[in-house]
Amino acid sequence: PTITDVVCQLYRLQKTDYRTRDSREVKYLAFHHIGADADSHPYDVAVYHIEHNDWPGHGYHYQILKDGTIFQTNYLQTMCYNVAGRNHEVIGILINGKFLPFGENTPTKAQIKSANQLIKYLSSLLPNKVEVVGHKDIALPSSPTTCPGNLMEYLEEEEQV
């Protein structure tokens, strides 16, 4: 897939940075939704994470916009914050949108295509086999979530075609 690397261009908190890890620790590609219908750019997400969460920067490794554009927002060795207690074993992928049951909002065909391309690409790049999951599938009991809504159903349907 075509991936635009914006890692070094994104706003970062100057006083701290994310820790790093060996890519052999990665067990999951964890999908998230942005939780709003807005098509926020990675720059906006980075600023939000810094100003509202006091994180060092963008909390995910990749972000997919509604038009299917894939941005790399952190390096794979970066242990950014997107699944509490499991960040050491996760590559976080943020998809713009709010994917709730009953068709209130669905990913675009371009997002589904890009997500599946990214899954294949990362699976071939990482040294160990990884599991593709939604955030809620691996969230710890102390941090329950409904994220990414029903997004995974769309990705699974596309893979079966």
Side-chain angles (χ1 to χ4, degrees):
T2 301
I3 299 171
T4 303
D5 181 340
V6 294
V7 176
C8 295
Q9 299 167 23
L10 294 178
Y11 180 49
R12 295 258 185 221
L13 196 59
Q14 296 301 314
K15 65 181 178 182
T16 186
D17 203 0
Y18 289 118
R19 294 187 338 205
T20 59
R21 53 142 182 241
D22 188 303
S23 60
R24 289 176 289 193
E25 294 180 62
V26 175
K27 296 179 184 176
Y28 304 101
L29 301 182
F31 279 85
H32 304 259
H33 65 176
I34 206 162
D37 195 25
D39 205 22
S40 299
H41 193 277
Y43 302 113
D44 303 320
V45 174
V47 169
Y48 181 85
H49 286 165
I50 291 166
E51 293 181 357
H52 294 274
N53 298 353
D54 202 30
W55 292 354
H58 198 292
Y60 305 91
H61 295 89
Y62 294 90
Q63 183 175 342
I64 302 175
L65 303 186
K66 289 183 178 182
D67 67 2
T69 301
I70 303 171
F71 287 98
Q72 183 169 5
T73 53
N74 276 295
Y75 297 120
L76 298 182
Q77 296 81 8
T78 303
M79 200 166 56
C80 45
Y81 307 153
N82 58 84
V83 180
R86 304 193 86 164
N87 293 313
H88 63 288
E89 56 189 4
V90 169
I91 290 177
I93 303 165
L94 177 65
I95 298 194
N96 284 18
K98 184 176 184 178
F99 309 115
L100 301 173
F102 315 114
E104 292 178 35
N105 193 343
T106 58
T108 66
K109 289 181 182 181
Q111 284 177 312
I112 294 168
K113 180 179 179 184
S114 291
N116 283 312
Q117 289 176 342
L118 187 58
I119 290 167
K120 289 176 185 159
Y121 169 71
L122 292 172
S123 296
S124 71
L125 192 66
L126 293 164
N128 298 321
K129 184 174 170 58
V130 291
E131 186 177 347
V132 179
V133 297
H135 178 186
K136 65 185 174 188
D137 300 322
I138 59 169
L140 298 177
S142 58
S143 301
T145 182
T146 59
C147 175
N150 62 353
L151 170 67
M152 300 312 291
E153 296 172 23
Y154 295 97
L155 298 183
E156 291 167 8
E157 286 174 13
E158 176 71 14
E159 286 182 355
Q160 293 171 5
V161 175

